[in-house]
Amino acid sequence: MKPKLKAEYKLRIPSDTDNLELIRSFVAKVAEKVGFIPDDICKIELACDEACTNVMKHAYDQSSKNTSLDVIIKIDYQKFTLVVTDHGKGFDPDTIKMPNVKEYLAELKVGGLGIYLMRTLMDEVDYDIKPGVQNQVRMVKYFLDKKKPGLVNTAKGV
Amino acid sequence: MENFNVNRIDKEDISVLYISGFLDAHTAPELEEAIQKLIDGQRYKLVINFKDLSYISSAGLGVFMGFIEQIREHSGDIKMSNMTPKIFRVFDLLGFPTLYDIVEDETLAIIKFRS
């Protein structure tokens, strides 16, 4: 089946690690439906897991009433955009740096590698942070010539 | 639905953990518990067999990072074997092959401990 060239898929789900598997299945199924190859589906799935795990671990405290998160996928002619939104305490995006992985691993510290992975796996990653109101991580994967016909990209050096 | 499992087989002073399913932020505590149990029993030579692991996130990799220092301080090691290309790629992206002994087969990991 040829996928629609413009579509939006949305999942609203409790911010609980118990739901990671379900979120990954949702994202992987949509990525597959729009024609990504298995290798790219794995990358999108992992990047989404890392973004959602960050929300589940850090966005809300025990006093939070609304502890849901939204995973929205927007498909247009050239790209697959994945937006993870929470309503928690947010963070200062200026404090997020690409970690020096070698240094980091040498110190054998736990955690913090999720953001590095997201930036490595996806073509674009950016943040829109409004603490307590809405925090978004937006990630983009471009359709390249390796996917199904009908979604051929001309925007990214292809 | 496939989840996560750890099975352990002791081969003299070496413990092999067979992990299967999805290793993410939800299931990582289960692996942490299994490794902590080994450390509590002063077993510091570990082989992790990844043959049946279908998914790993940074939360899963974090488990190994959390224990490796302590294990090596006791002259032990965590050696990893039987990774599928998909799992190896995640380790590779984060530079793990320079820090951990990742081998093709469990037997090879055991031989490395013996030699």
Side-chain angles (χ1 to χ4, degrees):
Chain A
M1 193 182 83
K2 196 176 169 184
K4 284 182 182 175
L5 292 183
K6 216 166 166 70
E8 188 170 307
Y9 302 83
K10 185 172 178 178
L11 178 69
R12 172 162 289 176
I13 196 161
S15 171
D16 187 318
T17 56
D18 191 24
N19 290 321
L20 279 170
E21 191 179 339
L22 204 155
I23 294 169
R24 289 196 303 267
S25 300
F26 165 71
V27 171
K29 287 284 179 197
V30 176
E32 186 185 1
K33 184 182 164 79
V34 299
F36 279 109
I37 59 167
D39 193 38
D40 282 339
I41 296 170
C42 289
K43 288 179 181 174
I44 292 168
E45 204 182 340
L46 180 54
C48 183
D49 176 321
E50 298 294 344
C52 292
T53 297
N54 281 345
V55 171
M56 290 162 179
K57 294 272 182 193
H58 307 296
Y60 298 108
D61 48 39
Q62 287 178 339
S63 62
S64 304
K65 285 178 187 165
N66 174 9
T67 57
S68 65
L69 68 84
D70 293 341
V71 179
I72 300 170
I73 298 167
K74 293 173 186 169
I75 310 294
D76 69 19
Y77 305 100
Q78 294 173 347
K79 61 189 182 183
F80 178 101
T81 306
L82 181 68
V83 183
V84 176
T85 306
D86 70 75
H87 304 277
K89 56 191 178 191
F91 56 89
D92 180 0
D94 292 339
T95 63
I96 297 174
K97 294 174 193 158
M98 283 288 273
N100 178 329
V101 170
K102 265 195 178 163
E103 222 172 73
Y104 196 89
L105 290 179
E107 289 174 19
L108 299 171
K109 286 181 180 171
V110 181
L113 294 172
I115 288 166
Y116 173 82
L117 271 180
M118 281 153 59
R119 290 186 176 167
T120 307
L121 297 164
M122 301 296 277
D123 294 324
E124 290 171 15
V125 179
D126 54 57
Y127 304 89
D128 183 16
I129 307 299
K130 297 183 184 76
V133 183
Q134 177 175 287
N135 311 298
Q136 286 189 330
V137 181
R138 180 183 150 276
M139 297 180 276
V140 173
K141 192 94 184 155
Y142 286 91
F143 295 120
L144 299 174
D145 57 352
K146 55 193 173 188
K147 34 94 231 69
K148 286 179 185 172
L151 290 170
V152 175
N153 174 45
T154 53
K156 216 191 170 195
V158 178
Chain B
M1 204 181 267
E2 189 184 9
N3 211 301
F4 178 72
N5 269 302
V6 190
N7 287 309
R8 168 182 158 188
I9 293 179
D10 290 344
K11 301 183 177 181
E12 294 171 22
D13 59 337
I14 298 167
S15 292
V16 184
L17 295 182
Y18 297 87
I19 57 176
S20 62
F22 302 127
L23 182 52
D24 60 16
H26 188 63
T27 58
E30 208 174 316
L31 178 61
E32 257 169 16
E33 203 179 299
I35 297 179
Q36 188 60 55
K37 212 172 166 184
L38 288 169
I39 291 174
D40 292 344
Q42 298 184 318
R43 298 185 66 87
Y44 300 110
K45 292 179 180 173
L46 274 63
V47 176
I48 314 288
N49 187 321
F50 285 77
K51 186 171 82 67
D52 295 317
L53 193 77
S54 47
Y55 177 84
I56 192 163
S57 72
S58 71
L61 274 75
V63 175
F64 304 112
M65 290 165 74
F67 286 110
I68 190 69
E69 202 169 12
Q70 190 184 357
I71 284 177
R72 285 183 180 158
E73 274 170 11
H74 287 88
S75 309
D77 198 13
I78 300 177
K79 296 189 191 297
M80 304 173 177
S81 76
N82 302 77
M83 278 183 197
T84 61
K86 178 187 167 183
I87 300 291
F88 179 77
R89 203 162 45 234
V90 183
F91 276 84
D92 198 31
L93 273 176
L94 291 173
F96 269 59
T98 59
L99 283 151
Y100 290 85
D101 214 351
I102 302 175
V103 296
E104 270 183 37
D105 187 73
E106 179 193 315
T107 317
L108 195 57
I110 292 171
I111 290 170
K112 282 194 155 191
F113 267 124
R114 299 263 181 257
S115 61

Tab-separated table of all heavy atoms in Angstrom, chain A residues 4-58:
chain	number	residue	atom	x	y	z
A	4	LYS	N	0.091	7.614	2.486
A	4	LYS	CA	-0.325	8.988	2.206
A	4	LYS	C	0.901	9.868	2.345
A	4	LYS	O	1.750	9.650	3.198
A	4	LYS	CB	-1.373	9.436	3.222
A	4	LYS	CG	-2.735	8.859	2.976
A	4	LYS	CD	-3.708	9.415	4.015
A	4	LYS	CE	-5.077	8.821	3.825
A	4	LYS	NZ	-6.012	9.236	4.882
A	5	LEU	N	0.984	10.891	1.537
A	5	LEU	CA	2.171	11.731	1.582
A	5	LEU	C	2.094	12.819	2.644
A	5	LEU	O	3.072	13.478	2.937
A	5	LEU	CB	2.435	12.334	0.201
A	5	LEU	CG	2.853	11.301	-0.844
A	5	LEU	CD1	3.179	11.963	-2.159
A	5	LEU	CD2	4.035	10.473	-0.383
A	6	LYS	N	0.937	13.010	3.203
A	6	LYS	CA	0.833	13.974	4.295
A	6	LYS	C	-0.121	13.385	5.327
A	6	LYS	O	-1.266	13.064	5.007
A	6	LYS	CB	0.304	15.309	3.756
A	6	LYS	CG	0.914	16.512	4.430
A	6	LYS	CD	0.618	17.763	3.630
A	6	LYS	CE	0.891	19.022	4.409
A	6	LYS	NZ	2.271	19.300	4.669
A	7	ALA	N	0.382	13.206	6.552
A	7	ALA	CA	-0.459	12.579	7.572
A	7	ALA	C	0.079	12.894	8.949
A	7	ALA	O	1.240	13.297	9.108
A	7	ALA	CB	-0.488	11.067	7.353
A	8	GLU	N	-0.785	12.737	9.958
A	8	GLU	CA	-0.346	12.955	11.334
A	8	GLU	C	-0.856	11.811	12.209
A	8	GLU	O	-2.005	11.390	12.086
A	8	GLU	CB	-0.877	14.305	11.840
A	8	GLU	CG	-0.307	14.678	13.183
A	8	GLU	CD	-0.631	16.119	13.585
A	8	GLU	OE1	-0.349	17.038	12.793
A	8	GLU	OE2	-1.169	16.302	14.688
A	9	TYR	N	0.023	11.306	13.065
A	9	TYR	CA	-0.334	10.215	13.967
A	9	TYR	C	-0.021	10.676	15.386
A	9	TYR	O	1.028	11.263	15.632
A	9	TYR	CB	0.498	8.967	13.652
A	9	TYR	CG	0.356	8.484	12.236
A	9	TYR	CD1	1.118	9.056	11.213
A	9	TYR	CD2	-0.536	7.476	11.901
A	9	TYR	CE1	0.994	8.627	9.900
A	9	TYR	CE2	-0.665	7.038	10.591
A	9	TYR	CZ	0.098	7.614	9.597
A	9	TYR	OH	-0.028	7.183	8.308
A	10	LYS	N	-0.948	10.397	16.302
A	10	LYS	CA	-0.751	10.909	17.663
A	10	LYS	C	-1.038	9.833	18.710
A	10	LYS	O	-2.030	9.115	18.602
A	10	LYS	CB	-1.673	12.113	17.871
A	10	LYS	CG	-1.481	12.808	19.184
A	10	LYS	CD	-2.303	14.106	19.221
A	10	LYS	CE	-2.164	14.785	20.562
A	10	LYS	NZ	-2.894	16.054	20.621
A	11	LEU	N	-0.170	9.778	19.702
A	11	LEU	CA	-0.366	8.846	20.813
A	11	LEU	C	-0.240	9.629	22.116
A	11	LEU	O	0.783	10.268	22.361
A	11	LEU	CB	0.718	7.755	20.754
A	11	LEU	CG	0.735	6.702	21.855
A	11	LEU	CD1	-0.466	5.779	21.775
A	11	LEU	CD2	2.025	5.873	21.765
A	12	ARG	N	-1.286	9.623	22.944
A	12	ARG	CA	-1.194	10.238	24.285
A	12	ARG	C	-1.174	9.095	25.290
A	12	ARG	O	-2.042	8.223	25.270
A	12	ARG	CB	-2.373	11.166	24.557
A	12	ARG	CG	-2.390	11.651	26.005
A	12	ARG	CD	-3.257	12.859	26.192
A	12	ARG	NE	-2.651	14.032	25.574
A	12	ARG	CZ	-3.234	15.222	25.529
A	12	ARG	NH1	-4.434	15.396	26.040
A	12	ARG	NH2	-2.624	16.256	24.981
A	13	ILE	N	-0.181	9.116	26.162
A	13	ILE	CA	0.060	7.921	26.977
A	13	ILE	C	0.644	8.317	28.343
A	13	ILE	O	1.353	9.322	28.435
A	13	ILE	CB	1.025	6.985	26.175
A	13	ILE	CG1	1.035	5.573	26.715
A	13	ILE	CG2	2.419	7.557	26.068
A	13	ILE	CD1	1.581	4.556	25.717
A	14	PRO	N	0.307	7.582	29.421
A	14	PRO	CA	0.905	7.911	30.718
A	14	PRO	C	2.434	7.846	30.677
A	14	PRO	O	3.003	6.962	30.039
A	14	PRO	CB	0.338	6.843	31.660
A	14	PRO	CG	-0.930	6.384	31.009
A	14	PRO	CD	-0.663	6.470	29.528
A	15	SER	N	3.055	8.795	31.372
A	15	SER	CA	4.519	8.877	31.384
A	15	SER	C	5.081	7.825	32.338
A	15	SER	O	5.450	8.134	33.469
A	15	SER	CB	4.920	10.295	31.818
A	15	SER	OG	6.305	10.360	32.034
A	16	ASP	N	5.131	6.597	31.873
A	16	ASP	CA	5.577	5.478	32.703
A	16	ASP	C	6.425	4.544	31.831
A	16	ASP	O	6.012	4.215	30.713
A	16	ASP	CB	4.332	4.732	33.223
A	16	ASP	CG	4.691	3.662	34.236
A	16	ASP	OD1	5.696	2.941	34.017
A	16	ASP	OD2	3.970	3.540	35.236
A	17	THR	N	7.562	4.136	32.352
A	17	THR	CA	8.465	3.294	31.542
A	17	THR	C	7.793	1.991	31.089
A	17	THR	O	8.222	1.385	30.114
A	17	THR	CB	9.762	2.937	32.304
A	17	THR	OG1	9.418	2.302	33.530
A	17	THR	CG2	10.614	4.168	32.572
A	18	ASP	N	6.745	1.612	31.797
A	18	ASP	CA	5.986	0.426	31.423
A	18	ASP	C	5.421	0.563	30.001
A	18	ASP	O	5.119	-0.428	29.338
A	18	ASP	CB	4.835	0.260	32.433
A	18	ASP	CG	4.140	-1.074	32.291
A	18	ASP	OD1	4.775	-2.009	31.784
A	18	ASP	OD2	2.959	-1.169	32.667
A	19	ASN	N	5.291	1.803	29.522
A	19	ASN	CA	4.701	2.045	28.202
A	19	ASN	C	5.735	2.189	27.081
A	19	ASN	O	5.366	2.408	25.925
A	19	ASN	CB	3.827	3.300	28.248
A	19	ASN	CG	2.574	3.055	29.062
A	19	ASN	OD1	1.986	1.977	28.984
A	19	ASN	ND2	2.179	4.032	29.867
A	20	LEU	N	7.019	2.073	27.401
A	20	LEU	CA	8.054	2.270	26.372
A	20	LEU	C	7.891	1.305	25.201
A	20	LEU	O	8.024	1.692	24.043
A	20	LEU	CB	9.447	2.109	26.991
A	20	LEU	CG	9.987	3.326	27.743
A	20	LEU	CD1	11.258	2.954	28.503
A	20	LEU	CD2	10.265	4.476	26.784
A	21	GLU	N	7.592	0.068	25.525
A	21	GLU	CA	7.471	-0.948	24.477
A	21	GLU	C	6.327	-0.596	23.524
A	21	GLU	O	6.452	-0.707	22.301
A	21	GLU	CB	7.248	-2.309	25.147
A	21	GLU	CG	7.358	-3.474	24.193
A	21	GLU	CD	7.148	-4.799	24.895
A	21	GLU	OE1	7.298	-4.885	26.127
A	21	GLU	OE2	6.814	-5.762	24.194
A	22	LEU	N	5.225	-0.141	24.113
A	22	LEU	CA	4.060	0.237	23.305
A	22	LEU	C	4.374	1.452	22.413
A	22	LEU	O	4.015	1.488	21.238
A	22	LEU	CB	2.926	0.567	24.283
A	22	LEU	CG	1.497	0.454	23.791
A	22	LEU	CD1	0.575	0.198	24.985
A	22	LEU	CD2	1.058	1.697	23.084
A	23	ILE	N	5.080	2.420	22.981
A	23	ILE	CA	5.450	3.617	22.209
A	23	ILE	C	6.355	3.221	21.040
A	23	ILE	O	6.181	3.668	19.906
A	23	ILE	CB	6.167	4.657	23.116
A	23	ILE	CG1	5.200	5.203	24.169
A	23	ILE	CG2	6.762	5.801	22.283
A	23	ILE	CD1	5.861	6.039	25.266
A	24	ARG	N	7.342	2.347	21.323
A	24	ARG	CA	8.259	1.911	20.255
A	24	ARG	C	7.503	1.202	19.138
A	24	ARG	O	7.778	1.418	17.952
A	24	ARG	CB	9.348	0.987	20.823
A	24	ARG	CG	10.364	1.683	21.688
A	24	ARG	CD	11.598	0.810	21.892
A	24	ARG	NE	11.294	-0.488	22.466
A	24	ARG	CZ	11.325	-0.761	23.775
A	24	ARG	NH1	11.643	0.178	24.641
A	24	ARG	NH2	11.051	-1.970	24.204
A	25	SER	N	6.533	0.367	19.517
A	25	SER	CA	5.753	-0.355	18.503
A	25	SER	C	4.989	0.636	17.625
A	25	SER	O	4.960	0.501	16.402
A	25	SER	CB	4.723	-1.284	19.156
A	25	SER	OG	5.366	-2.204	19.961
A	26	PHE	N	4.387	1.628	18.250
A	26	PHE	CA	3.622	2.650	17.519
A	26	PHE	C	4.506	3.376	16.504
A	26	PHE	O	4.187	3.463	15.312
A	26	PHE	CB	3.023	3.630	18.546
A	26	PHE	CG	2.514	4.926	17.966
A	26	PHE	CD1	1.370	4.963	17.184
A	26	PHE	CD2	3.174	6.124	18.236
A	26	PHE	CE1	0.904	6.163	16.668
A	26	PHE	CE2	2.709	7.322	17.722
A	26	PHE	CZ	1.576	7.341	16.924
A	27	VAL	N	5.665	3.834	16.998
A	27	VAL	CA	6.566	4.608	16.141
A	27	VAL	C	7.132	3.737	15.008
A	27	VAL	O	7.194	4.167	13.847
A	27	VAL	CB	7.697	5.217	16.997
A	27	VAL	CG1	8.769	5.841	16.134
A	27	VAL	CG2	7.135	6.266	17.946
A	28	ALA	N	7.487	2.507	15.356
A	28	ALA	CA	8.066	1.603	14.353
A	28	ALA	C	7.049	1.269	13.267
A	28	ALA	O	7.386	1.217	12.084
A	28	ALA	CB	8.571	0.325	15.031
A	29	LYS	N	5.801	1.059	13.680
A	29	LYS	CA	4.754	0.712	12.704
A	29	LYS	C	4.514	1.868	11.728
A	29	LYS	O	4.353	1.654	10.532
A	29	LYS	CB	3.441	0.369	13.416
A	29	LYS	CG	3.463	-0.968	14.122
A	29	LYS	CD	3.337	-2.116	13.134
A	29	LYS	CE	3.379	-3.456	13.866
A	29	LYS	NZ	3.663	-4.574	12.951
A	30	VAL	N	4.498	3.089	12.263
A	30	VAL	CA	4.280	4.235	11.372
A	30	VAL	C	5.484	4.403	10.431
A	30	VAL	O	5.319	4.602	9.232
A	30	VAL	CB	4.031	5.541	12.180
A	30	VAL	CG1	3.901	6.731	11.237
A	30	VAL	CG2	2.773	5.418	13.037
A	31	ALA	N	6.686	4.269	10.982
A	31	ALA	CA	7.897	4.414	10.155
A	31	ALA	C	7.922	3.357	9.045
A	31	ALA	O	8.315	3.634	7.907
A	31	ALA	CB	9.143	4.305	11.033
A	32	GLU	N	7.477	2.161	9.393
A	32	GLU	CA	7.428	1.075	8.404
A	32	GLU	C	6.381	1.393	7.328
A	32	GLU	O	6.630	1.239	6.139
A	32	GLU	CB	7.078	-0.239	9.122
A	32	GLU	CG	7.145	-1.450	8.221
A	32	GLU	CD	6.680	-2.721	8.919
A	32	GLU	OE1	6.291	-2.654	10.112
A	32	GLU	OE2	6.693	-3.765	8.266
A	33	LYS	N	5.232	1.854	7.787
A	33	LYS	CA	4.124	2.162	6.880
A	33	LYS	C	4.511	3.215	5.836
A	33	LYS	O	4.099	3.139	4.686
A	33	LYS	CB	2.957	2.670	7.724
A	33	LYS	CG	1.662	2.974	7.010
A	33	LYS	CD	0.664	3.515	8.036
A	33	LYS	CE	-0.505	4.208	7.402
A	33	LYS	NZ	-1.501	3.281	6.885
A	34	VAL	N	5.317	4.189	6.245
A	34	VAL	CA	5.676	5.237	5.294
A	34	VAL	C	6.928	4.892	4.492
A	34	VAL	O	7.413	5.705	3.717
A	34	VAL	CB	5.831	6.624	5.968
A	34	VAL	CG1	4.518	7.038	6.618
A	34	VAL	CG2	6.963	6.632	6.981
A	35	GLY	N	7.457	3.686	4.696
A	35	GLY	CA	8.468	3.193	3.774
A	35	GLY	C	9.915	3.238	4.202
A	35	GLY	O	10.807	3.010	3.382
A	36	PHE	N	10.195	3.499	5.474
A	36	PHE	CA	11.599	3.464	5.901
A	36	PHE	C	12.132	2.031	5.884
A	36	PHE	O	11.396	1.079	6.136
A	36	PHE	CB	11.738	4.024	7.323
A	36	PHE	CG	11.763	5.522	7.373
A	36	PHE	CD1	10.683	6.237	7.880
A	36	PHE	CD2	12.870	6.227	6.919
A	36	PHE	CE1	10.699	7.621	7.921
A	36	PHE	CE2	12.895	7.626	6.962
A	36	PHE	CZ	11.812	8.316	7.469
A	37	ILE	N	13.420	1.895	5.607
A	37	ILE	CA	14.055	0.579	5.639
A	37	ILE	C	14.281	0.181	7.105
A	37	ILE	O	14.320	1.049	7.989
A	37	ILE	CB	15.401	0.567	4.871
A	37	ILE	CG1	16.383	1.588	5.467
A	37	ILE	CG2	15.191	0.827	3.390
A	37	ILE	CD1	17.800	1.423	4.984
A	38	PRO	N	14.410	-1.137	7.373
A	38	PRO	CA	14.535	-1.606	8.763
A	38	PRO	C	15.608	-0.876	9.571
A	38	PRO	O	15.402	-0.570	10.747
A	38	PRO	CB	14.876	-3.086	8.603
A	38	PRO	CG	14.221	-3.471	7.317
A	38	PRO	CD	14.336	-2.267	6.421
A	39	ASP	N	16.729	-0.565	8.947
A	39	ASP	CA	17.817	0.114	9.643
A	39	ASP	C	17.369	1.488	10.175
A	39	ASP	O	17.659	1.865	11.310
A	39	ASP	CB	18.989	0.280	8.651
A	39	ASP	CG	20.260	0.691	9.363
A	39	ASP	OD1	20.490	0.191	10.471
A	39	ASP	OD2	21.000	1.528	8.806
A	40	ASP	N	16.644	2.226	9.350
A	40	ASP	CA	16.150	3.547	9.765
A	40	ASP	C	15.024	3.424	10.791
A	40	ASP	O	14.903	4.257	11.687
A	40	ASP	CB	15.669	4.350	8.552
A	40	ASP	CG	16.836	4.946	7.768
A	40	ASP	OD1	17.921	5.086	8.360
A	40	ASP	OD2	16.671	5.241	6.573
A	41	ILE	N	14.208	2.379	10.643
A	41	ILE	CA	13.125	2.169	11.616
A	41	ILE	C	13.727	1.969	13.005
A	41	ILE	O	13.271	2.546	13.990
A	41	ILE	CB	12.247	0.951	11.216
A	41	ILE	CG1	11.545	1.231	9.887
A	41	ILE	CG2	11.223	0.630	12.306
A	41	ILE	CD1	10.842	0.024	9.273
A	42	CYS	N	14.810	1.180	13.078
A	42	CYS	CA	15.496	0.936	14.364
A	42	CYS	C	16.018	2.247	14.954
A	42	CYS	O	15.933	2.476	16.156
A	42	CYS	CB	16.669	-0.019	14.180
A	42	CYS	SG	16.156	-1.700	13.845
A	43	LYS	N	16.558	3.099	14.094
A	43	LYS	CA	17.111	4.373	14.571
A	43	LYS	C	16.010	5.272	15.127
A	43	LYS	O	16.172	5.894	16.186
A	43	LYS	CB	17.841	5.106	13.430
A	43	LYS	CG	19.150	4.451	13.052
A	43	LYS	CD	19.803	5.199	11.912
A	43	LYS	CE	21.119	4.528	11.508
A	43	LYS	NZ	21.702	5.132	10.316
A	44	ILE	N	14.896	5.355	14.411
A	44	ILE	CA	13.773	6.204	14.840
A	44	ILE	C	13.197	5.681	16.157
A	44	ILE	O	12.915	6.440	17.085
A	44	ILE	CB	12.693	6.242	13.724
A	44	ILE	CG1	13.226	6.990	12.494
A	44	ILE	CG2	11.410	6.872	14.237
A	44	ILE	CD1	12.373	6.849	11.246
A	45	GLU	N	13.069	4.360	16.216
A	45	GLU	CA	12.523	3.702	17.409
A	45	GLU	C	13.392	4.012	18.639
A	45	GLU	O	12.893	4.384	19.702
A	45	GLU	CB	12.546	2.196	17.125
A	45	GLU	CG	11.591	1.367	17.893
A	45	GLU	CD	11.771	-0.121	17.541
A	45	GLU	OE1	12.341	-0.463	16.469
A	45	GLU	OE2	11.358	-0.928	18.350
A	46	LEU	N	14.694	3.903	18.478
A	46	LEU	CA	15.616	4.135	19.594
A	46	LEU	C	15.629	5.615	19.995
A	46	LEU	O	15.594	5.947	21.186
A	46	LEU	CB	17.025	3.651	19.219
A	46	LEU	CG	18.131	3.821	20.260
A	46	LEU	CD1	17.771	3.194	21.601
A	46	LEU	CD2	19.451	3.214	19.741
A	47	ALA	N	15.640	6.515	18.997
A	47	ALA	CA	15.644	7.949	19.311
A	47	ALA	C	14.390	8.326	20.087
A	47	ALA	O	14.434	9.096	21.052
A	47	ALA	CB	15.738	8.769	18.019
A	48	CYS	N	13.248	7.763	19.692
A	48	CYS	CA	11.992	8.061	20.375
A	48	CYS	C	12.013	7.509	21.805
A	48	CYS	O	11.586	8.178	22.753
A	48	CYS	CB	10.825	7.468	19.586
A	48	CYS	SG	9.238	7.858	20.325
A	49	ASP	N	12.536	6.301	21.957
A	49	ASP	CA	12.671	5.689	23.289
A	49	ASP	C	13.500	6.599	24.197
A	49	ASP	O	13.121	6.884	25.338
A	49	ASP	CB	13.333	4.315	23.133
A	49	ASP	CG	13.618	3.615	24.457
A	49	ASP	OD1	14.026	4.282	25.432
A	49	ASP	OD2	13.466	2.381	24.525
A	50	GLU	N	14.609	7.103	23.676
A	50	GLU	CA	15.502	7.939	24.494
A	50	GLU	C	14.788	9.232	24.920
A	50	GLU	O	14.905	9.654	26.072
A	50	GLU	CB	16.782	8.277	23.722
A	50	GLU	CG	17.640	7.058	23.329
A	50	GLU	CD	18.235	6.315	24.526
A	50	GLU	OE1	18.257	6.877	25.632
A	50	GLU	OE2	18.673	5.158	24.350
A	51	ALA	N	14.047	9.849	23.992
A	51	ALA	CA	13.325	11.088	24.322
A	51	ALA	C	12.245	10.819	25.373
A	51	ALA	O	12.094	11.576	26.339
A	51	ALA	CB	12.703	11.683	23.058
A	52	CYS	N	11.500	9.732	25.185
A	52	CYS	CA	10.417	9.408	26.123
A	52	CYS	C	10.983	8.989	27.481
A	52	CYS	O	10.425	9.339	28.523
A	52	CYS	CB	9.528	8.310	25.553
A	52	CYS	SG	8.591	8.847	24.112
A	53	THR	N	12.095	8.248	27.471
A	53	THR	CA	12.723	7.844	28.736
A	53	THR	C	13.133	9.081	29.534
A	53	THR	O	12.927	9.139	30.747
A	53	THR	CB	13.953	6.937	28.479
A	53	THR	OG1	13.498	5.735	27.845
A	53	THR	CG2	14.660	6.566	29.774
A	54	ASN	N	13.674	10.085	28.850
A	54	ASN	CA	14.047	11.330	29.537
A	54	ASN	C	12.835	11.965	30.219
A	54	ASN	O	12.919	12.429	31.354
A	54	ASN	CB	14.649	12.340	28.545
A	54	ASN	CG	16.096	12.012	28.228
A	54	ASN	OD1	16.726	11.221	28.923
A	54	ASN	ND2	16.620	12.604	27.172
A	55	VAL	N	11.702	11.983	29.511
A	55	VAL	CA	10.476	12.540	30.097
A	55	VAL	C	10.064	11.705	31.315
A	55	VAL	O	9.781	12.237	32.390
A	55	VAL	CB	9.325	12.557	29.059
A	55	VAL	CG1	8.004	12.925	29.725
A	55	VAL	CG2	9.641	13.534	27.936
A	56	MET	N	10.045	10.400	31.134
A	56	MET	CA	9.574	9.503	32.207
A	56	MET	C	10.448	9.588	33.462
A	56	MET	O	9.972	9.456	34.576
A	56	MET	CB	9.547	8.057	31.687
A	56	MET	CG	8.453	7.833	30.655
A	56	MET	SD	8.739	6.348	29.697
A	56	MET	CE	7.305	6.358	28.612
A	57	LYS	N	11.743	9.810	33.235
A	57	LYS	CA	12.679	9.846	34.374
A	57	LYS	C	12.759	11.228	35.023
A	57	LYS	O	12.999	11.334	36.217
A	57	LYS	CB	14.093	9.456	33.907
A	57	LYS	CG	14.210	8.018	33.432
A	57	LYS	CD	14.527	7.101	34.594
A	57	LYS	CE	14.701	5.678	34.102
A	57	LYS	NZ	14.700	4.714	35.195
A	58	HIS	N	12.575	12.278	34.209
A	58	HIS	CA	12.903	13.608	34.741
A	58	HIS	C	11.789	14.655	34.708
A	58	HIS	O	11.864	15.640	35.431
A	58	HIS	CB	14.110	14.191	33.978
A	58	HIS	CG	15.285	13.277	33.946
A	58	HIS	ND1	15.952	12.917	35.090
A	58	HIS	CD2	15.896	12.615	32.931
A	58	HIS	CE1	16.947	12.081	34.774
A	58	HIS	NE2	16.933	11.884	33.469
